[in-house]
Amino acid sequence: MASTACFIIVSRNDIPIYEAEVSSTLKKEEAAHEHQFILHAALDIVQDLAWTTSAMFLKAMDRFNDLTVSVYVTAGHTRLMLLHDSRNEDGIKSFFQEVHELYIKILLNPLYIPGSRITSSYFDTKVRGLARKYL
Amino acid sequence: MEDYAEELRTPPVSLICLVGYPELHPTISGFLHSEQPPINVLALPEFSKISHLAGKQKGNLDSGNPGGILKRDWLIKHRTRVPSVVAALFGLDHVSGDPAQWLQVCTDLENLKSVIRGRNIKLVVVLVQSTFKDDVSEDRMIALRKRAEIDSKYLVVFAQNDTSELSQSLNRLASIFAELSNTYYREEGRRIKARLEKKSFSSAELNIRCCFKVAVYAEFRRDWVEALRFYEEAYHALHEMIALSTRLPPIQRLVEMKAVAEQLHFKVSTLLLHGGKVIEAITWFRQHISSYKRLVGAPEVVFLHWEWISKQFLVFAELLETSSATIPSTASLGSERPFTEWEFQPAYYYQLAAHYLREKRYSLDLSLSTSETSRQMEGATTIESPESVIPSVYVGQFARLLDQDFALAMQPLTDGEYVLYALAEGKRFQDSYEIIALFRKSFESYNNLKAQRMASYCSNQMAREYFAAGDFNNAKQLFDSIAGLYRQEGWVTLLWEILGYLRECSRNLGSPRDFIEYSLEMAALPILSTAGVEPSNVKEYGPAGPARHSQRENIQKEVFGLLKGQSTLMSKEGDCSLTVGEDQPLRLEIDPVSPLRVVFLGSVAFHDQTVKPGGSTLLTLSLLSQLPLPVEIDQLEIQFNQSNCNFTIKKSPELPLTESSTGEQACHVKTVPILTLEANKWLRLTFDIKSGQSGKLECLSVIASMGHHFTICCRVESPASMEDMPLWKFEDRVESFPTKDPALAFSGQKVIQVEEPEPQVDLILHTSGPALVGENFVVPVTITSKGHAVHSGELKINLVDTRGAGFLSPRETEPFSSDSLHVELVGISGSSEEHELQTGSENIKKIQASFGLLSVPFLEIGESWSGKLEIRWHRPKPIMLYVSLGYLPNSKETTAQKVHVHKSLQIEGKTPVVITHRFMTPFRRDPLLLSKIKPAPDSDPSLSLAFNETSILIVSARNCTEVPLRLISISIEVDRDEIGLSCTVRQSNEISTDLTLLVPGEEFKRVFSVTPEVASPKLSVGTVCLRWTRDSELGQPPHSGESELVTGVVTRHKLPNVNAEKAPLVSILECPPHAILGVPFSFHVRIRNQTQLLQEIKYSLEDSQSFLSSGPHNDAAFILPHSEHILGYKLVPLASGQQQLPRISVTSVRYSTGLHPSLAACTVFVFPSQPHFKTNGGVEEPKPICTE
């Protein structure tokens, strides 16, 4: 179980559409926003790297101290970004894959406009559940 | 990296020592320096100085515990003081000289040997040849060698007689030195290595020290691989030692270990990077950091740990930056990707160095505050000032310098003392600037890498550091630049954070405008989370506070409190306060790109697209705000580009008490029941407004006043072209249209076209059917005023090609000639009396080929004016005539707009007459024209005329128009510019003076006789000139002078050139014009030979049923040159009426062609009896007439 993890979905036009702190214990010295700053900065690398590989799962893209950024790029160039300090790569991969499935279900909703914020509470609950399960 | 000593940073260079013969030292040392690899030289001028080389009495290494791991000066000692080779320089003359000198040499050598013996330093004896003839005996040499106990090759004679010898000697010396020093360092290394292998040392410290020494010796020999191996071994040994050593108090022990580890790590990294092993170096660094990161140490000196870590990052960044090793491309790293892209960039390490330095500052501040509080609690316990603490002889150790009995002594420190010392040292440094500098470096290199987001992350950290340091100007500038990126990418939470800082910056800078702008933007951010925040976590957030809906409300309340003057804001220092009051009214400008658009958005839509001047139209003003709480607006002012349309909106219960202005303005005040903006809800207000002047009426801005001193000026947008709100676009919210009518929301514009006033003047163009080419066609123009007086009227006339071939503008027809213009405007005139009156200067009258300008005199209501336009066509062509009248309805308002009346008329241009012509030979006279027999391929045989023979030309003119025309005259003008008079043209009958009427479709013919007088293949006959006039114009009074009537309109028709040639034979048929039944008459064929040759002809006569003939029937004849041959026949007509004469055919043998008279020529009318013609003058013989 990771002690820190921040999960964000970034739409293809670089706007965050879902964010969740999925840490088990909130570290006092790290402000919650700090994670978002790090994830935002990591977008630069994703941008370069996403086109060099056909893999969707880009593990350990960026490091900041102990924290690692792993990214999962969907075919529509939506990026699922996870900031974590655990080394459980398989868990992260499964987490991404399941969240991707959830995200596709969201996309299938005709009332959801692609690129807009995901406000579904079902999605939120599910993601947090997956985080507990895999991270 | 500059913190490290020089000897650590640069690779070591072997050192040798020169003793004696000082005048040669500069030459030798200079040469050795420039060698590859270079050799450093320790020069001792005299043998008495050799005691410098003597080592100190060595303490037994193995005895007891060493004082530390590495001696601070060991490396520099070996680089500058302990030579690997000593070269004793003696003059050759001294060696070969008298016994006293020899003895001196021996003594010096002995002394030297005794000094260097303990250190294994190699010895070289150099005999310097000072003169050419110096020589030394073999015995002396051997004796010297034995005394020095050296190999014979290390006894060198240094010859310097000429340059080649000198360089040879120097080269030999250098190679000997290099060899010996290499041997020396290898032996030293081997000696220590042997001890390592035997493990013959008592402590781990010694183990490390030995490894270090072996590595350094290897470096001296440039054996990088071994050096690296032993540095790494030392490093690992040190790492194993961490838990074991108890030599020093715990804090200092850790400090020492870290210092040594740092040094070893530095060496390893340098060597790795030098060898181009970037990946290994980065892996090594990562291990280094991960193994030492947890060794935080005692809580009082945590800051030392962070400082150390930060230094590791900084040094590695600098090493990476200066190393020339190429960074492997990401693709070559394969799929495993052990490193991220940034880990190859110095920027990454700079950034982390700054991060840890900040960490250090936090812990230092914490330590300082606790130590101060503890000191206060303990009271002022006397602790000696830490100034006397200096670094001790071992790396990473500190000691106090004691002044005891005039001798300096080192005393070890206790941990407590050390902590005090470290705190005092820590206080001396300004970490902030260091941190900012590091972030800036990182920022710049990320920017160069085009990693904009990483760069803004660094810039954000930099700005926070400035903020913490109290430099709000710099902080604000940086934050502003980052906020742009976050705004653009829609990272709302981050933007919230940054705006929070910006708000504080402007509060501290005393800038109420910025403070209010940032606060309003924050309050309008799409942060909808309503989760409560436990107060314990508040500290985690920046000055913005947690990003919650409630916080937005708080901010809005705070700002509006300030705006309404209910509260003032004090900056943190309290030296300046923010107020918005009478003396500092505040006005915010919001345009479509401003980030404050979410705070206040105004859109205006006119319900119509056009409006009559002075008419009224509906206008919907829609306002939207995303502020969380409802906003009360006191007054709205709507501004247009026509300022007299501006109006003000107030809430209805409030009477305009403050409105003390004149009634004219008061009438523009409108009232509405509600002026409150709810969050995310359009406030729609619809008004009826009166349009102003004609032209464009555009709504520019809405100014909302809230409180007495605060206004927001918002540039309004059209609903049709309005963009979505940047940050709210993707939020989950109810979207509504700015206007109730959805159609208007998609098409509404903030601009309306106010039409021109309706003209009340008639402009009439008359036309009398199509125009004829060549004539001056008159188009009368009449202006009749019905409701407007015409002031300074102006008539513009334009001729335009209807087929769109282009405006017949004067520009197009710049090479101005009437031929190139198809249609031309030749004259404009007003009615005659006006024309006379207004010949003055004010009468504007400009005519160009297709454009005319005419000023119209002042007309009262009901008056009318007429003018005429004269247009001439050069080609048949339809054109469009555009006439526009511009006038002012009244003379008083000079600024008033002109009223325009437009009229257009299409006029056809037609050809009036078509002229055709035809050449004929005279009746019954046929010249033989050779060109008719053998026509040239491109010539028209019908255009051949016989030279000196009269031909007949029939010109016919046909009226193609729909109006009757009168012909004035028809004549042929012979071109005078041809070569003389080439032919005579005579009119067959006299010129008729009366004017022939030519009704439409009728044809008029005239006969001319043409006699070519020159034989020429291109004979110009002339041009037919036809003068005509319209039948209708004859009766009318002449409008443009008498000449028009007399001359009429001339239509010209150029006759084609004819081929005039000599006819060799002419056959003339002679026959009476008529015959009488039964009465015989004679019939001749006269054949004239016009050549100078004898011509043979054959002829035959066919019998005819109608005639009885006598004469030669079938024969041949010869005709002499220039003579005639006559064939005579007698005929008796047998039938009356039109009868065919017996057909005679004459053939010229020479030209093998026949002369066949035409059918008409061979016909004669036979009267049944003698006819009687009664005329005035009596009987007149009918003449042969040319009829066709």
Side-chain angles (χ1 to χ4, degrees):
Chain A
M1 188 80 184
S3 56
T4 307
C6 176
F7 177 63
I8 272 195
I9 300 179
V10 181
S11 76
R12 55 180 299 158
N13 36 15
D14 296 340
I15 294 172
I17 53 173
Y18 173 80
E19 47 209 62
E21 284 287 330
V22 286
S23 350
S24 53
T25 55
L26 200 67
K27 275 195 181 175
K28 287 286 177 197
E29 66 265 32
E30 295 264 41
H33 296 164
E34 201 61 36
H35 295 156
Q36 284 205 25
F37 276 117
I38 293 166
L39 285 173
H40 179 258
L43 275 180
D44 273 330
I45 278 199
V46 181
Q47 198 171 297
D48 292 350
L49 214 66
W51 303 108
T52 63
T53 168
S54 58
M56 283 178 149
F57 178 48
L58 310 171
K59 67 180 178 215
M61 297 267 331
D62 194 10
R63 281 203 182 79
F64 185 82
N65 294 342
D66 301 330
L67 301 173
T68 311
V69 179
S70 290
V71 181
Y72 186 88
V73 186
T74 70
H77 209 66
T78 301
R79 282 143 292 176
L80 318 181
M81 304 181 77
L82 183 73
L83 182 75
H84 58 95
D85 55 4
S86 72
R87 302 248 164 223
N88 180 8
E89 259 168 28
D90 292 340
I92 290 167
K93 193 165 184 175
S94 321
F95 171 75
F96 276 140
Q97 276 163 351
E98 300 225 0
V99 174
H100 187 197
E101 229 164 89
L102 284 175
Y103 174 67
I104 287 169
K105 280 181 192 160
I106 288 279
L107 278 181
L108 289 176
N109 181 353
L111 296 179
Y112 174 77
I113 303 158
S116 67
R117 194 170 283 276
I118 300 172
T119 46
S120 155
S121 61
Y122 170 79
F123 183 78
D124 190 55
T125 323
K126 278 289 207 182
V127 168
R128 284 171 198 280
L130 286 174
R132 268 196 296 281
K133 184 172 164 195
Y134 289 115
L135 303 183
Chain B
M1 200 155 73
E2 280 73 29
D3 294 349
Y4 295 133
E6 163 82 24
E7 68 266 16
L8 206 59
R9 278 187 284 147
T10 54
V13 175
S14 4
L15 184 74
I16 60 132
C17 179
L18 299 177
V19 192
Y21 224 93
E23 52 272 35
L24 260 184
H25 290 182
T27 322
I28 298 174
S29 61
F31 181 79
L32 292 179
H33 247 298
S34 59
E35 274 293 88
Q36 204 52 252
I39 297 172
N40 278 342
V41 173
L42 183 67
L44 299 177
E46 288 167 32
F47 282 90
S48 53
K49 300 270 169 60
I50 55 171
S51 56
H52 281 288
L53 301 177
K56 279 179 282 180
Q57 202 53 44
K58 280 209 173 174
N60 194 350
L61 267 176
D62 302 337
S63 66
N65 280 334
I69 302 168
L70 295 182
K71 280 222 174 116
R72 207 179 279 277
D73 58 351
W74 186 83
L75 193 53
I76 196 153
K77 185 176 82 183
H78 277 269
R79 289 184 55 145
T80 59
R81 289 208 302 277
V82 184
S84 56
V85 181
V86 171
L89 276 70
F90 297 108
L92 205 58
D93 49 341
H94 286 255
V95 178
S96 60
D98 54 45
Q101 280 174 329
W102 168 245
L103 210 60
Q104 180 62 38
V105 168
C106 293
T107 323
D108 286 344
L109 211 52
E110 280 305 315
N111 288 343
L112 193 60
K113 269 168 64 186
S114 68
V115 167
I116 64 174
R117 186 170 295 131
R119 285 184 177 269
N120 288 332
I121 296 174
K122 307 294 173 200
L123 179 65
V124 175
V125 176
V126 181
L127 298 180
V128 181
Q129 207 177 30
S130 51
T131 60
F132 188 68
K133 282 293 152 207
D134 270 347
D135 205 356
V136 73
S137 65
E138 196 63 24
D139 293 347
R140 276 278 168 88
M141 290 287 264
I142 292 167
L144 190 63
R145 191 159 54 89
K146 287 222 166 115
R147 205 163 268 284
E149 296 172 42
I150 52 171
D151 204 49
S152 62
K153 64 176 174 181
Y154 300 133
L155 178 64
V156 182
V157 176
F158 190 86
Q160 48 175 349
N161 292 314
D162 54 38
T163 42
S164 69
E165 262 187 23
L166 181 69
S167 71
Q168 209 180 346
S169 312
L170 283 172
N171 275 330
R172 200 166 61 203
L173 264 190
S175 68
I176 287 171
F177 286 151
E179 182 196 334
L180 280 178
S181 64
N182 219 355
T183 319
Y184 169 76
Y185 290 122
R186 188 182 312 120
E187 278 172 8
E188 286 295 292
R190 202 171 286 156
R191 186 168 60 85
I192 297 172
K193 230 187 316 184
R195 281 177 61 188
L196 269 177
E197 277 154 14
K198 278 186 279 173
K199 302 214 182 287
S200 64
F201 36 77
S202 54
S203 62
E205 283 90 341
L206 280 178
N207 185 9
I208 295 162
R209 193 186 293 175
C210 288
C211 289
F212 181 71
K213 283 182 179 177
V214 174
V216 171
Y217 285 132
E219 262 197 291
F220 270 118
R221 300 205 302 277
R222 312 192 154 250
D223 184 353
W224 311 121
V225 179
E226 180 162 313
L228 188 62
R229 189 157 64 87
F230 277 92
Y231 280 130
E232 282 181 15
E233 202 163 299
Y235 182 86
H236 292 308
L238 180 73
H239 204 241
E240 282 162 19
M241 201 189 91
I242 289 171
L244 305 170
S245 172
T246 51
R247 177 170 41 83
L248 283 170
I251 291 178
Q252 290 182 63
R253 187 169 70 216
L254 201 58
V255 169
E256 182 189 11
M257 301 235 315
K258 278 180 187 162
V260 174
E262 180 180 357
Q263 203 162 326
L264 291 172
H265 160 71
F266 176 73
K267 272 293 177 192
V268 170
S269 303
T270 316
L271 284 173
L272 281 173
L273 283 175
H274 226 66
K277 300 171 180 162
V278 183
I279 295 179
E280 285 84 346
I282 291 169
T283 317
W284 175 265
F285 178 76
R286 204 194 264 177
Q287 281 167 2
H288 174 60
I289 289 299
S290 62
S291 53
Y292 279 91
K293 202 169 169 190
R294 276 164 293 129
L295 295 176
V296 178
E300 305 95 287
V301 285
V302 175
F303 69 92
L304 285 178
H305 173 70
W306 295 125
E307 186 179 14
W308 184 82
I309 295 262
S310 163
K311 197 173 168 196
Q312 303 310 300
F313 276 100
L314 173 62
V315 167
F316 193 71
E318 281 170 341
L319 276 178
L320 206 57
E321 201 169 26
T322 50
S323 90
S324 54
T326 48
I327 292 158
S329 71
T330 46
S332 68
L333 291 176
S335 57
E336 199 44 43
R337 297 202 49 75
F339 301 106
T340 70
E341 201 180 321
W342 295 147
E343 280 182 88
F344 295 98
Q345 301 296 340
Y348 176 77
Y349 300 96
Y350 280 125
Q351 178 207 337
L352 286 172
H355 173 82
Y356 286 113
L357 200 57
R358 215 166 51 164
E359 203 77 29
K360 177 228 164 179
R361 205 199 42 210
Y362 291 144
S363 352
L364 179 62
D365 290 347
L366 202 68
S367 304
L368 282 176
S369 61
T370 52
S371 75
E372 263 162 40
T373 47
S374 64
R375 199 180 302 171
Q376 279 163 5
M377 284 181 27
E378 288 171 19
T381 44
T382 51
I383 293 171
E384 282 168 59
S385 74
E387 277 151 28
S388 56
V389 176
I390 56 154
S392 78
V393 289
Y394 291 102
V395 172
Q397 286 189 17
F398 294 88
R400 181 178 302 145
L401 200 60
L402 288 182
D403 199 356
Q404 282 180 336
D405 308 332
F406 306 105
L408 297 175
M410 297 276 199
Q411 190 193 34
L413 294 172
T414 65
D415 263 2
E417 283 168 337
Y418 178 72
V419 168
L420 279 180
Y421 165 74
L423 281 177
E425 282 292 297
K427 258 196 281 192
R428 279 172 44 211
F429 291 105
Q430 291 281 350
D431 288 326
S432 271
Y433 294 106
E434 186 72 11
I435 294 167
I436 289 167
L438 287 174
F439 274 128
R440 173 147 304 166
K441 236 171 177 177
S442 178
F443 165 75
E444 277 160 9
S445 46
Y446 275 128
N447 247 352
N448 291 340
L449 291 170
K450 304 255 181 305
Q452 200 193 359
R453 299 186 185 95
M454 278 311 288
S456 29
Y457 179 76
C458 295
S459 151
N460 175 19
Q461 300 293 339
M462 199 154 52
R464 284 192 196 187
E465 206 51 50
Y466 274 124
F467 183 81
D471 186 349
F472 297 112
N473 267 322
N474 276 324
K476 183 160 175 287
Q477 212 175 333
L478 286 171
F479 278 130
D480 261 333
S481 67
I482 319 160
L485 179 72
Y486 292 148
R487 251 181 225 134
Q488 186 195 330
E489 302 205 331
W491 286 68
V492 175
T493 337
L494 306 187
L495 184 57
W496 168 271
E497 190 80 4
I498 299 295
L499 287 176
Y501 276 106
L502 278 169
R503 209 164 85 101
E504 288 309 306
C505 285
S506 41
R507 188 209 294 263
N508 285 307
L509 290 170
S511 164
R513 167 186 294 274
D514 290 339
F515 178 79
I516 287 163
E517 280 185 5
Y518 293 132
S519 303
L520 286 177
E521 192 184 345
M522 275 177 92
L525 280 183
I527 289 169
L528 305 168
S529 153
T530 48
V533 181
E534 50 270 44
S536 65
N537 281 357
V538 167
K539 273 211 160 177
E540 286 179 24
Y541 299 99
R548 296 283 180 275
H549 191 264
S550 55
Q551 186 70 14
R552 282 171 61 200
E553 288 177 2
N554 292 341
I555 289 171
Q556 191 189 347
K557 276 181 207 153
E558 185 184 17
V559 172
F560 276 87
L562 179 70
L563 289 177
K564 294 201 169 127
Q566 291 162 355
S567 61
T568 57
L569 272 180
M570 299 301 281
S571 64
K572 285 248 170 72
E573 284 79 21
D575 49 358
C576 53
S577 60
L578 299 180
T579 50
V580 176
E582 205 126 356
D583 47 338
Q584 294 157 301
L586 191 68
R587 181 187 169 104
L588 295 185
E589 303 272 346
I590 300 177
D591 56 14
V593 292
S594 159
L596 291 181
R597 209 168 147 248
V598 290
V599 175
F600 193 85
L601 173 66
S603 103
V604 161
F606 283 102
H607 289 221
D608 299 307
Q609 289 182 346
T610 54
V611 68
K612 294 255 184 298
S616 67
T617 181
L618 286 176
L619 168 142
T620 297
L621 166 70
S622 320
L623 300 175
L624 182 69
S625 167
Q626 297 289 4
L627 291 175
L629 298 175
V631 180
E632 286 270 341
I633 298 170
D634 296 343
Q635 181 181 310
L636 275 175
E637 206 183 318
I638 321 288
Q639 290 187 327
F640 294 89
N641 62 345
Q642 298 183 10
S643 60
N644 51 357
C645 293
N646 292 357
F647 64 92
T648 310
I649 304 167
K650 285 176 172 295
K651 235 190 314 192
S652 55
E654 267 184 50
L655 288 168
L657 291 174
T658 50
E659 197 77 46
S660 58
S661 51
T662 58
E664 195 187 10
Q665 277 188 332
C667 73
H668 289 305
V669 175
K670 305 192 187 241
T671 54
V672 288
I674 300 168
L675 260 183
T676 306
L677 283 180
E678 303 271 353
N680 194 25
K681 207 169 154 196
W682 287 99
L683 174 67
R684 303 190 187 98
L685 305 167
T686 302
F687 302 101
D688 197 359
I689 68 156
K690 278 235 184 297
S691 66
Q693 287 179 331
S694 64
K696 208 168 76 166
L697 178 64
E698 184 176 6
C699 187
L700 295 177
S701 53
V702 177
I703 301 172
S705 326
M706 297 164 209
H708 291 298
H709 311 293
F710 176 60
T711 48
I712 295 179
C713 175
C714 173
R715 292 250 298 279
V716 298
E717 297 167 44
S718 303
S721 56
M722 195 163 62
E723 287 184 6
D724 286 333
M725 296 228 215
L727 295 170
W728 287 86
K729 188 162 48 176
F730 295 117
E731 290 303 318
D732 197 20
R733 68 182 171 114
V734 181
E735 272 197 74
S736 52
F737 296 121
T739 51
K740 271 200 185 111
D741 178 9
L744 204 57
F746 286 117
S747 66
Q749 294 290 345
K750 61 175 178 170
V751 180
I752 193 166
Q753 192 67 37
V754 182
E755 289 172 352
E756 285 189 352
E758 198 74 21
Q760 299 199 354
V761 169
D762 272 355
L763 176 66
I764 304 156
L765 293 176
H766 307 278
T767 174
S768 51
L772 304 180
V773 171
E775 67 168 345
N776 276 7
F777 188 68
V778 175
V779 180
V781 182
T782 313
I783 297 168
T784 313
S785 159
K786 288 193 299 185
H788 278 162
V790 176
H791 291 272
S792 43
E794 218 175 50
L795 207 58
K796 284 182 195 159
I797 301 113
N798 266 311
L799 296 180
V800 181
D801 192 344
T802 44
R803 269 171 296 178
F807 216 72
L808 293 174
S809 71
R811 276 192 305 282
E812 270 179 49
T813 55
E814 206 62 64
F816 187 75
S817 72
S818 60
D819 267 0
S820 64
L821 271 177
H822 297 181
V823 185
E824 189 184 3
L825 183 68
V826 289
I828 324 171
S829 57
S831 49
S832 55
E833 62 270 36
E834 300 289 345
H835 192 68
E836 307 237 333
L837 277 174
Q838 299 211 344
T839 39
S841 59
E842 76 167 319
N843 188 5
I844 315 156
K845 188 173 163 187
K846 270 160 70 183
I847 303 178
Q848 280 164 327
S850 63
F851 176 75
L853 190 65
L854 177 65
S855 74
V856 176
F858 166 69
L859 291 180
E860 284 286 357
I861 297 170
E863 280 185 339
S864 71
W865 174 91
S866 63
K868 282 184 174 128
L869 309 177
E870 286 179 30
I871 306 166
R872 178 177 292 162
W873 270 256
H874 296 288
R875 307 272 160 83
K877 183 175 197 149
I879 57 137
M880 252 349 236
L881 169 68
Y882 287 100
V883 178
S884 75
L885 170 71
Y887 69 95
L888 294 172
N890 44 16
S891 59
K892 278 171 266 173
E893 281 183 62
T894 48
T895 55
Q897 283 170 314
K898 278 203 164 185
V899 184
H900 292 278
V901 194
H902 305 278
K903 274 281 155 63
S904 64
L905 190 66
Q906 180 169 3
I907 306 172
E908 291 279 338
K910 285 197 172 167
T911 314
V913 283
V914 175
I915 299 171
T916 52
H917 69 275
R918 172 176 182 158
F919 286 102
M920 294 176 79
T921 52
F923 192 56
R924 290 179 178 164
R925 186 183 172 97
D926 289 310
L928 177 73
L929 293 177
L930 293 178
S931 62
K932 281 194 187 178
I933 307 164
K934 283 184 186 169
D938 54 342
S939 67
D940 185 2
S942 68
L943 289 180
S944 289
L945 296 185
F947 162 66
N948 246 346
E949 295 276 330
T950 303
S951 299
I952 307 293
L953 169 66
I954 302 168
V955 176
S956 56
R958 188 186 150 87
N959 183 356
C960 304
T961 63
E962 286 150 13
V963 290
L965 299 177
R966 289 239 176 225
L967 290 187
I968 298 167
S969 70
I970 182 163
S971 63
I972 293 183
E973 288 176 3
V974 177
D975 299 334
R976 298 285 160 188
D977 53 339
E978 294 290 326
I979 330 139
L981 271 177
S982 50
C983 67
T984 350
V985 178
R986 271 174 293 122
Q987 208 153 346
S988 58
N989 42 0
E990 69 278 13
I991 298 165
S992 59
T993 46
D994 62 332
L995 303 165
T996 319
L997 178 70
L998 211 57
V999 297
E1002 197 188 347
E1003 204 170 32
F1004 175 81
K1005 285 185 180 163
R1006 175 145 295 183
V1007 179
F1008 298 88
S1009 65
V1010 179
T1011 314
E1013 286 161 359
V1014 178
S1016 145
K1018 287 250 183 285
L1019 184 69
S1020 152
V1021 180
T1023 309
V1024 179
C1025 287
L1026 181 73
R1027 290 181 188 278
W1028 57 271
T1029 178
R1030 281 180 187 241
D1031 187 33
S1032 56
E1033 280 173 15
L1034 275 174
Q1036 288 175 3
H1039 53 80
S1040 55
E1042 197 72 20
S1043 57
E1044 173 82 15
L1045 180 65
V1046 176
T1047 56
V1049 182
V1050 178
T1051 304
R1052 286 169 191 277
H1053 176 75
K1054 176 92 174 84
L1055 292 171
N1057 290 342
V1058 294
N1059 179 17
E1061 61 181 54
K1062 279 187 181 169
L1065 293 172
V1066 180
S1067 79
I1068 302 152
L1069 213 67
E1070 284 182 359
C1071 174
H1074 62 270
I1076 297 159
L1077 190 69
V1079 178
F1081 65 96
S1082 56
F1083 163 63
H1084 306 279
V1085 177
R1086 191 192 295 246
I1087 299 155
R1088 188 190 293 159
N1089 178 7
Q1090 294 189 334
T1091 60
Q1092 302 197 333
L1093 305 165
L1094 187 71
Q1095 298 280 355
E1096 186 191 357
I1097 55 160
K1098 287 179 179 169
Y1099 57 89
S1100 65
L1101 185 78
E1102 286 170 28
D1103 283 334
S1104 168
Q1105 286 182 345
S1106 318
F1107 294 95
L1108 192 68
S1109 62
S1110 74
H1113 229 260
N1114 212 338
D1115 204 353
F1118 287 93
I1119 309 170
L1120 294 173
H1122 295 293
S1123 65
E1124 282 183 346
H1125 182 80
I1126 298 169
L1127 303 175
Y1129 294 94
K1130 202 74 164 179
L1131 299 179
V1132 180
L1134 297 178
S1136 59
Q1138 194 85 344
Q1139 295 296 338
Q1140 190 78 39
L1141 287 171
R1143 204 166 166 77
I1144 184 156
S1145 58
V1146 180
T1147 312
S1148 159
V1149 175
R1150 179 182 292 272
Y1151 303 109
S1152 65
T1153 181
L1155 290 167
H1156 304 287
S1158 66
L1159 203 64
C1162 298
T1163 308
V1164 72
F1165 190 79
V1166 180
F1167 287 96
S1169 61
Q1170 179 70 34
H1172 297 281
F1173 301 110
K1174 277 193 178 166
T1175 53
N1176 292 344
V1179 179
E1180 213 177 295
E1181 288 277 308
K1183 284 181 183 174
I1185 48 162
C1186 305
T1187 50
E1188 186 64 24

